[in-house]
Amino acid sequence: MENNLVELTVKNNVGMVTLNQPNKGNAINLQMAKELMNIALECSESENIRAVVITGQGSAFSVGGDLKSFSEQGEEISSHLKHVTTHLHQAVSIFTRMEKPFIGAVNGAAAGAGMGLVLACDLGYASEKAKFVMAYNRVGLTPDGSGSYFLPRVVGMKRALELMYTNKQLSAVEAKEWGIINDTHSDESLLEEVVHLAEKLANGPINAYGQTKKLFYHSLQETLESQMQLESLSLAERATSKEGKEGISAFLEKREAAFHKK
């Protein structure tokens, strides 16, 4: 798929999504939001893609919304932002809900909606030089791109509000300590390490990953008993699935499970 501001390449069943506006810090404008949504659909629907990595071209992951393009809309800025967020939010929803691992490779600054994209990833890994900041309140705005949903769930309410009110910037090490990312890597090894992980997951039980994601998200609104009921139903269903049968057989036969036969 050819795009201008977002690129998608596929290799070894891994979809590599690259935000491609490095001269503007991969700032998100209407065109990028539209392209990101279209690529999210492609990643979700393609049988050849079994894991997805998102990263940025250049020195930044994404500095967030393209404020210059927004301000150029004049009195139409409100309507324009609704168009931008409609496409951006649909992209985030698709990436989050798809039954495939969604992994962030944060190569540089992640601010505003860029940080929201990181928070929406199932797993996140960052360059040691990466920086994280919400930035919205600095310019009198409020979060978009799932930031207000994921941030308090990931770091807790008080820390989330601290990041919003003070525009506190976190280093990659601090972001790991706060649970925003899983680990850090050197600039040189970041993509290699993340792609290696993605390829490993792409050969795993994709449907089980997807069902696990659903269970975890459901747990945020369920009681203990209702969640355990969902666990029971899901486990029973998975045990009779192709993946479940292969996994159990492989365990009993003391061999590696072949969840993805090429």
Side-chain angles (χ1 to χ4, degrees):
M1 181 185 294
E2 292 187 1
N3 296 272
N4 293 319
L5 302 185
V6 186
E7 294 182 344
L8 172 63
T9 57
V10 183
K11 183 179 180 181
N12 296 329
N13 298 117
V14 174
M16 175 66 70
V17 178
T18 305
L19 305 178
N20 188 33
Q21 193 169 208
N23 59 319
K24 293 186 177 181
N26 299 316
I28 301 170
N29 58 18
L30 180 57
Q31 182 183 347
M32 179 180 280
K34 287 180 176 179
E35 292 181 11
L36 190 61
M37 184 191 74
N38 289 333
I39 280 180
L41 284 168
E42 176 72 10
C43 290
S44 177
E45 296 298 321
S46 174
E47 293 184 1
N48 192 40
I49 297 175
R50 293 172 58 87
V52 178
V53 174
I54 186 168
T55 192
Q57 189 70 260
S59 60
F61 177 76
S62 174
V63 297
D66 186 349
L67 295 181
K68 185 175 184 295
S69 73
F70 300 161
S71 66
E72 290 171 350
Q73 305 305 312
E75 295 300 315
E76 300 299 317
I77 188 171
S78 178
S79 174
H80 182 76
L81 283 174
K82 288 178 182 176
H83 283 289
V84 175
T85 54
T86 292
H87 294 288
L88 174 61
H89 291 173
Q90 189 62 42
V92 171
S93 181
I94 293 167
F95 279 132
T96 302
R97 302 300 185 190
M98 68 181 178
E99 294 192 351
K100 303 170 184 181
F102 182 42
I103 309 170
V106 189
N107 54 299
M115 185 167 169
L117 281 174
V118 176
L119 290 163
C121 291
D122 301 334
L123 303 172
Y125 300 88
S127 158
E128 293 168 345
K129 297 180 180 179
K131 302 293 183 183
F132 300 80
V133 61
M134 287 303 283
Y136 293 96
N137 286 177
R138 179 184 299 164
V139 291
L141 300 178
T142 52
D144 66 343
S146 78
S148 66
Y149 179 86
F150 284 110
L151 187 61
R153 286 169 167 80
V154 170
V155 305
M157 187 62 73
K158 291 189 184 301
R159 278 185 160 182
L161 289 171
E162 177 188 2
L163 290 177
M164 287 300 306
Y165 289 168
T166 69
N167 295 297
K168 179 182 178 71
Q169 179 176 275
L170 300 178
S171 67
V173 171
E174 289 172 323
K176 178 183 176 181
E177 291 172 350
W178 284 39
I180 293 169
I181 58 172
N182 295 86
D183 209 347
T184 63
H185 297 290
S186 68
D187 284 352
E188 296 75 20
S189 66
L190 175 65
L191 270 184
E192 180 182 354
E193 294 285 351
V194 173
V195 169
H196 177 71
L197 171 62
E199 290 177 346
K200 181 179 179 180
L201 294 177
N203 284 313
I206 293 299
N207 295 325
Y209 294 155
Q211 191 60 36
T212 298
K213 286 170 68 170
K214 288 180 181 178
L215 280 171
F216 278 22
Y217 282 121
H218 267 296
S219 73
L220 301 173
Q221 60 196 33
E222 299 288 341
T223 65
L224 170 61
E225 288 73 20
S226 63
Q227 182 66 17
M228 289 193 294
Q229 177 65 15
L230 290 174
E231 289 180 345
S232 178
L233 292 172
S234 178
L235 180 61
E237 178 184 299
R238 297 307 308 155
T240 59
S241 70
K242 182 179 178 181
E243 287 180 350
K245 290 177 180 178
E246 167 62 15
I248 293 170
S249 295
F251 177 80
L252 295 175
E253 295 166 10
K254 297 182 169 62
R255 60 175 175 81
E256 285 291 322
F259 293 115
H260 179 45
K261 298 179 181 179
K262 299 180 180 179

